[in-house]
Amino acid sequence: MNHRITRANERGLKDIGWLQSNFTFSFSSYANPERNGFGLLRVFNDDFVKPGNGFGLHAHANMEIISVMLGGRMNHIDSLGYKEEVTTDGVQIMSAGSGLRHEEHNIGDDEVNFLQIWIEPKLQNVTPRYQRRSFPEAKRKNQLTTIVSNEEGTAHCWINQNARLSLGYFDAGQTLTYSFSPLNKLVFVFVITGELLVNGQALAKRDSIGIWETDTINIECPSEARFILIEAPINH
C-alpha cells in the first residue's frame, strides 16, 4: 500500500471575505506541483460562503462537478433550465460535457459550507446533465452510503466516470473494511468531523489521505466521525 496524507493546515487557502476556500489540490491562486490532483480526482475544495454571496454565472465543460452540502442553503441556476435549492445533506452533480453555465449563491441566514469536487470524465463532449439528491444524516448512521457513482439509479447521483463517492457517519468504536479493485483505482478519504484511523494512519478533522496499490482499506473510528470516501481511476 502507498499513501499520501494532507493535514488540514497544509491545504492551500484563499480568503476573500465572502468566500473562504481550502484547497487540497492546486486550484485558483494555489499552485503546488506536488499536489496537482490525485489520479482523475482533480479538485477537492472545502468552501465557506457568507450569507448573501456566491458564485456568479460562469461556464464549465468536460468535467464532472460534485457539490456536497455540509451546512446552509444554496441555490443553483443553470443554462439547462434548472432552478434548485440545495440544503444540508444535499448532493448535486453537473456532468458538464459539451458545456453549461451556472451560478450558486448562499440564500440562507447562515454560512454555507460545501465540498466542491471535480473528477475528469470518461467520455468527452457528452450531453450536459444536472442532478440533485438528499441524504439525511439520520438515515445513514453507522453505514457507508453511496451518494455518487457511474451507475444510473434513483438512490444516488450518477456521473460520466468510473468513480464512487460515499458518505460515512459512524459512532465511536465502529470499524469497517472497504474493498475495491486495485486495477486503475485510488481511494481518497477526507475527515469532515471527528477522528479516523485509516490503515493505521491517524487522521483528525479536515485531514485527508490518498491510498493506492492495495485492494482493501480498514477504517476505525476512535470518536464519532463523519467522512467522505472517493474511489476514482488513476487515469483514463
Side-chain angles (χ1 to χ4, degrees), residues 1-7 38 187 198-203 208-214 217:
M1 182 197 85
N2 280 320
H3 71 277
R4 183 177 71 194
I5 293 175
T6 302
R7 301 296 178 188
F38 185 53
V187 167
V198 180
N199 280 6
Q201 302 295 319
L203 303 177
S208 63
I209 185 170
I211 296 172
W212 67 103
E213 293 186 356
T214 185
I217 62 170

Side-chain angles (χ1 to χ4, degrees), residues 140-215:
R140 50 183 175 82
K141 190 72 175 288
N142 292 323
Q143 61 183 341
L144 198 58
T145 302
T146 298
I147 58 172
V148 177
S149 84
N150 66 325
E151 301 170 350
E152 296 186 41
T154 59
H156 57 264
C157 298
W158 66 275
I159 59 172
N160 170 30
Q161 185 49 270
N162 186 25
R164 182 178 298 272
L165 284 74
S166 305
L167 284 176
Y169 173 33
F170 288 85
D171 287 327
Q174 294 289 311
T175 63
L176 67 146
T177 299
Y178 185 83
S179 300
F180 62 102
S181 169
L183 183 63
N184 203 37
K185 290 289 181 66
L186 309 165
V187 167
F188 175 86
V189 179
F190 175 82
V191 182
I192 298 168
T193 63
E195 299 173 324
L196 294 180
L197 286 172
V198 180
N199 280 6
Q201 302 295 319
L203 303 177
K205 179 180 177 181
R206 258 53 185 195
D207 289 350
S208 63
I209 185 170
I211 296 172
W212 67 103
E213 293 186 356
T214 185
D215 56 6

Side-chain angles (χ1 to χ4, degrees), residues 79-140:
S79 56
L80 302 178
Y82 287 95
K83 294 183 178 180
E84 304 285 333
E85 180 177 325
V86 189
T87 58
T88 303
D89 297 332
V91 174
Q92 68 177 10
I93 67 98
M94 290 182 292
S95 192
S98 58
L100 57 74
R101 292 171 295 151
H102 77 114
E103 59 181 271
E104 318 278 334
H105 289 86
N106 182 345
I107 56 173
D109 298 324
D110 301 316
E111 186 175 60
V112 157
N113 178 208
F114 73 104
L115 302 177
Q116 181 181 176
I117 301 162
W118 294 16
I119 298 174
E120 291 188 30
K122 180 168 58 177
L123 301 173
Q124 298 286 303
N125 297 318
V126 300
T127 301
R129 293 176 47 255
Y130 172 85
Q131 197 173 35
R132 177 176 62 85
R133 296 281 187 267
S134 182
F135 302 89
E137 192 172 76
K139 295 183 178 181
R140 50 183 175 82

